[in-house]
C-alpha cells in the first residue's frame, strides 16, 4: 500500500475527505461506491486504453531536450502531453470520466474550466460519446480565452458564463456544483483537476497516472532505468503533476518538484502560490491548503496563467508538501514567460504558460551533469499566444 | 442545566413553527441584531443567522449576493459574536447560526462553541461538515456547550442515512424540500408531497422543518401540514433588500405578516 495513496475515507494524511452539503451526497456517494469497480473492470480498461492510443495519441513521446540539457547541465527529458489531442493532458481524465459516466447511466455532463483546456477536453469527449455538455466558465476567463470558448461551441457544448464572485475558475466551480445539486440524477460532473470531494482527487489521479506509467517504460528504454532523479511539473489544482508523480511517489530517490505560480511575487498580494501563502482549510469539498483570510474567506488568486490561478491545491499535493515528499518552488509571471520563450527558442516548442512555470523551476534546482530530469510539458502554447504577445519581451 | 431553547420550542409547539433565515451584516453591517429583534416581535418562532462565506455553493443567487454584500460591509465571525453578545437581553426565541465549515474551522471549533454559548446561541447548521467527521471529532465538544447541530436531508437521502442522522443529531432535522439550491423553486409539487409523507411516516425522534423554496403563506402552510413548520430564507432576504423608505422593522413585519397570512399593517 502506497504511503501516498488515498485512504478509504478519502484522506491523504490530514487532507482530503468529502466536505459537501447533503444535496451533493447521493451523487458523490454513487461515484465513490462505483468508481474503483468500474475503472478496474477489464472492459473499461480496454476501451479506455484504446481511446488513449487511437484518439488521444498515446503514448506521448518522451523527448530528450538536447539544447535545454546543455544549458542547465543535466539530462532533461520532456513528457510531451502537449501532443495529446486537444493540446494538453486534460483529455486523459475526460476520456476516463466520460466512459465512467456512461457506465453510471448518466445522460448529461457538466464541467468547469479556467483557461478552457479542461472545457475543451470535456466538450471533445462529450461529442465523442454523444452526451449533452454544459461548461461553466468565469465570465472574465471567457473574455481572456476566447479561442477556447469558440472551440467548445464548435464541439457542441454550451458555455455558461459564471457571473458570481470574481467571475473566474473558483466561481465557475461553484456554479457547476450548484448545477449538480439541482440536477442530481441524470448528470455527471467532470471535475478537471485533482480537487473536489473524494473520490475526485483519487479518480482523476488514476486517469492521469498513465503519464508516469509511460515515463517509466520510456526512460527504461533510453536511460536503462525507470526512475529519473527529478520529476518536475506545474501545480495549479495539480492534475498533470499528480499524473507524472504517481508511479514515483513511493520511490524516495526520485525528487518530486512542484512549480507553483507566484504571480507578481509570493509577497505581492497577487499570487497563486498556495503552499507559500496557504493554510489548511476547506474548499470545493476537500480539506486542503488554501489561500484565505484569517476569517476563512477564500482569497482571489492571481497568475498570468489562467490555468494556475486557483486558490487551493489538490489534497494529495497538500500532503506531499506537508510530508516533505515534494519540494514546492514558486515561479513568478516574468520568469515563467522567459522560460516559455526559452523553450521555444531552444527546442522549437512553445509551451502553455502553465507548463512554462515548470521549466522556470529548473533555475532553482541544483543539478549535476548526470542527473536525469523529466519535466511534464503539460500543454501547448497556442492558446496562450496572446499572453506571450502582450508580454512582448522576445 | 437550562433546557435548550430549541427543545423548549418544539415541546410547546408542534406545528406551524416559523423559522426565518437572514444573513448577518445584511443589508447593512449593524442590522443583525435589529432584524433579530423585529423577527421575534413579528412572531417568528426561531431564527437562523447566516455566517457569510465567499463560496456558498449550496445557496442560490439571492443568499450568495447577500453573503457578498455582508462581507463587503465588513462582517466577520468576531463581528457577528460582538453583535450577538447581549442578544439574550432582548430576545427569547431560539437562535441558530448557519454557515459553511471553513470559517468555523478557522475561528477554531472550541472558540466557536464557547462564543455561541456566551451569546446564547442554541444550535448550528454547518451543511458541509460531514456527519461522520462531526460525530467522531466534534460532537462531544458541541454537546458540552449544549449546542445542537442540525443536519439536512433531501429527497435523495436514503432511509438508512436519515436514521443515522436522526440518531446522531439533536434539535431538528432540516428537510430540504427538493433537490436544489436555496430559493430555486416556488411551487410544491406532488413528488415533494410524497417525499414529505414518506419522511413523516418514519416517526423520527427529532422534529422536522421544511426549507428551500418556502416563500409565502401558501408554501408555509403546505410545509407545516407535513412537518412541524417551515424555514424561509431567500424570500426574506429579498424582502429585506426592500425599499429604502421602509424601515427594517416595517420590512420584517410586513413580510412575516404576509407569510403568516395576517393583515399587513403599514
Amino acid at each position: 500500500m502506497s504511503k501516498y495513496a488515498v485512504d478509504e475515507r478519502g484522506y491523504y494524511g490530514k487532507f482530503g475527505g468529502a466536505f459537501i452539503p447533503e444535496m451533493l451526497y447521493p451523487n458523490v456517494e454513487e461515484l465513490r461506491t462505483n468508481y474503483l469497480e468500474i475503472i478496474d473492470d477489464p472492459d473499461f480498461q480496454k476501451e479506455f486504453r484504446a481511446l488513449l492510443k487511437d484518439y488521444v495519441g498515446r503514448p506521448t513521446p518522451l523527448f530528450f531536450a538536447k539544447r535545454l540539457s546543455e544549458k542547465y547541465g543535466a539530462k532533461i527529458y520532456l513528457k510531451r502531453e502537449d501532443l495529446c489531442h486537444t493540446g494538453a493532458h486534460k483529455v486523459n481524465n475526460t476520456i476516463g470520466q466520460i466512459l465512467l459516466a456512461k457506465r453510471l447511466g448518466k445522460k448529461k455532463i457538466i464541467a468547469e474550466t479556467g483557461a478552457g483546456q479542461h472545457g475543451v477536453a470535456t466538450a471533445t469527449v462529450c461529442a465523442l460519446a454523444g452526451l449533452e455538455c454544459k461548461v461553466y466558465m468565469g465570465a472574465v476567463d471567457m473574455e481572456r480565452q476566447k479561442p477556447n470558448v469558440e472551440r467548445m461551441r464548435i464541439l457542441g457544448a454550451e458555455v455558461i458564463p459564471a457571473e458570481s464572485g470574481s467571475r473566474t475558475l473558483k466561481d465557475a466551480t461553484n456554479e457547476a456544483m450548484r448545477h449538480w445539486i439541482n440536477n442530481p440524477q441524470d448528470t455527471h460532473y467532470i471535475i478537471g483537476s485533482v480537487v473536489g470531494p473524494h473520490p475526485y482527487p483519487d479518480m482523476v489521479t488514476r486517469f492521469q497516472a498513465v503519464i508516469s506509467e509511460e515515463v517509466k517504460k520510456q526512460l527504461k528504454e533510453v536511460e536503462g532505468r525507470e526512475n529519473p532523479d527529478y520529476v518536475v511539473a506545474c501545480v495549479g489544482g495539480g492534475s498533470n503533476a499528480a499524473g507524472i508523480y504517481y508511479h514515483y511517489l513511493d520511490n524516495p530517490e526520485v525528487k518530486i518538484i512542484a512549480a507553483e505560480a507566484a504571480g507578481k511575487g509570493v509577497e505581492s498580494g497577487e499570487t497563486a502560490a498556495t503552499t507559500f501563502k496557504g493554510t489548511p482549510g476547506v474548499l470545493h469539498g476537500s480539506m486542503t491548503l488554501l489561500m484565505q483570510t484569517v476569517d476563512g474567506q477564500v482569497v482571489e488568486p492571481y497568475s498570468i496563467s489562467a490555468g494556475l490561478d486557483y486558490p487551493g491545491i489538490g489534497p494529495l499535493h497538500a500532503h506531499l508538501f506537508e510530508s516533505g515528499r515534494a519540494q514546492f518552488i514558486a515561479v513568478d509571471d516574468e520568469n515563467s514567460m522567459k522560460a516559455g520563450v526559452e523553450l521555444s527558442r531552444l527546442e522549437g516548442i512553445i509551451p502553455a504558460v502553465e507548463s512554462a512555470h515548470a521549466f522556470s523551476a529548473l533555475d532553482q534546482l541544483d543539478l549535476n551533469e548526470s542527473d536525469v530530469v523529466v519535466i511534464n510539458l503539460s500543454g501547448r502554447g497556442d492558446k496562450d499566444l496572446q499572453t506571450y504577445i502582450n508580454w512582448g519581451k522576445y | 442545566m437550562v433546557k435548550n431553547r430549541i427543545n423548549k420550542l418544539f415541546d410547546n409547539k408542534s406545528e406551524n413553527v416559523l423559522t426565518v433565515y437572514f444573513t448577518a451584516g445584511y443589508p447593512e453591517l449593524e442590522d443583525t441584531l435589529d432584524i433579530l429583534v423585529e423577527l421575534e416581535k413579528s412572531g417568528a418562532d426561531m431564527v437562523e443567522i447566516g455566517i457569510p462565506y465567499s463560496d456558498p455553493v449550496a445557496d442560490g443567487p439571492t443568499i450568495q449576493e447577500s453573503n457578498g454584500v455582508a462581507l463587503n460591509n465588513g462582517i466577520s465571525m468576531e463581528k457577528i459574536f460582538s453583535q450577538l453578545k447581549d442578544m439574550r437581553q432582548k430576545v427569547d426565541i431560539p437562535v441558530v447560526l448557519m454557515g459553511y465549515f471553513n470559517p468555523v474551522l478557522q475561528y477554531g471549533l472550541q472558540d466557536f462553541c464557547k462564543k455561541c454559548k456566551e451569546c446564547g446561541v442554541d444550535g448550528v447548521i454547518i451543511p458541509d461538515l460531514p456527519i461522520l467527521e462531526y460525530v467522531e471529532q466534534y460532537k462531544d465538544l458541541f454537546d458540552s456547550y449544549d449546542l445542537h447541530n442540525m443536519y439536512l436531508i433531501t429527497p435523495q437521502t436514503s432511509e438508512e442515512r436519515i436514521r443515522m442522522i436522526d440518531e446522531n443529531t439533536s434539535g431538528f432535522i432540516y428537510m430540504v424540500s427538493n433537490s436544489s439550491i436555496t430559493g430555486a423553486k416556488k411551487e410544491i409539487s406532488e413528488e415533494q408531497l410524497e417525499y414529505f409523507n414518506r419522511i413523516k411516516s418514519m416517526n423520527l425522534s427529532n422534529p422536522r422543518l421544511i426549507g428551500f423554496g418556502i416563500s409565502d403563506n401558501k408554501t408555509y402552510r403546505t410545509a407545516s401540514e407535513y412537518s412541524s413548520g417551515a424555514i424561509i430564507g431567500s424570500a426574506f432576504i429579498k424582502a429585506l433588500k426592500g425599499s429604502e423608505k421602509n424601515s427594517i422593522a416595517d420590512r420584517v413585519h410586513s413580510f412575516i405578516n404576509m407569510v403568516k397570512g395576517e393583515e399587513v399593517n403599514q
Side-chain angles (χ1 to χ4, degrees), chain A residues 151-167:
Chain A
R151 285 167 80 191
M152 287 184 264
R153 285 180 176 152
I154 290 170
L155 290 160
E158 182 188 353
V159 185
I160 303 169
E163 300 281 5
S164 62
S166 59
R167 305 189 299 156

Side-chain angles (χ1 to χ4, degrees), chain B residues 125-170:
Chain B
I125 300 172
I126 308 174
D128 60 342
L129 171 56
I131 187 154
L132 281 180
E133 267 79 353
Y134 169 68
V135 170
E136 286 174 9
Q137 296 180 47
Y138 306 118
K139 187 172 186 306
D140 288 347
L141 177 70
F142 278 59
D143 287 348
S144 72
Y145 286 99
D146 189 28
L147 209 52
H148 290 323
N149 187 9
M150 275 69 70
Y151 270 83
L152 279 58
I153 64 169
T154 79
Q156 267 75 42
T157 308
S158 68
E159 176 169 347
E160 187 192 2
R161 188 167 165 85
I162 293 170
R163 298 266 177 222
M164 190 267 283
I165 289 170
D166 191 39
E167 269 171 38
N168 287 291
T169 60
S170 50

Side-chain angles (χ1 to χ4, degrees), chain A residues 11 174 178 182 292 297, chain B residues 54-55 59 102 133 180-181:
Chain A
Y11 282 87
N174 292 342
R178 289 197 176 108
N182 287 335
Q292 57 185 326
Q297 307 296 341
Chain B
S54 53
D55 294 83
D59 286 296
N102 197 46
E133 267 79 353
S180 72
I181 52 176

Side-chain angles (χ1 to χ4, degrees), chain A residues 193-216:
Chain A
S193 196
V194 288
V195 302
H198 178 64
Y200 277 102
D202 185 52
M203 182 171 69
V204 177
T205 298
R206 283 166 189 267
F207 291 140
Q208 293 293 359
V210 64
I211 302 174
S212 59
E213 184 187 312
E214 288 175 4
V215 172
K216 284 183 86 131

Side-chain angles (χ1 to χ4, degrees), chain A residues 68 79 95-96 125 135 177 179 189 205 226 233 243 250 290 297 343 363 393:
Chain A
L68 198 68
K79 183 58 175 163
I95 291 267
V125 298
V135 179
M177 283 192 165
H179 182 100
Y189 177 16
T205 298
E226 290 185 339
D250 290 308
L290 177 63
Q297 307 296 341
L343 185 71
D363 272 339
K393 299 174 198 166

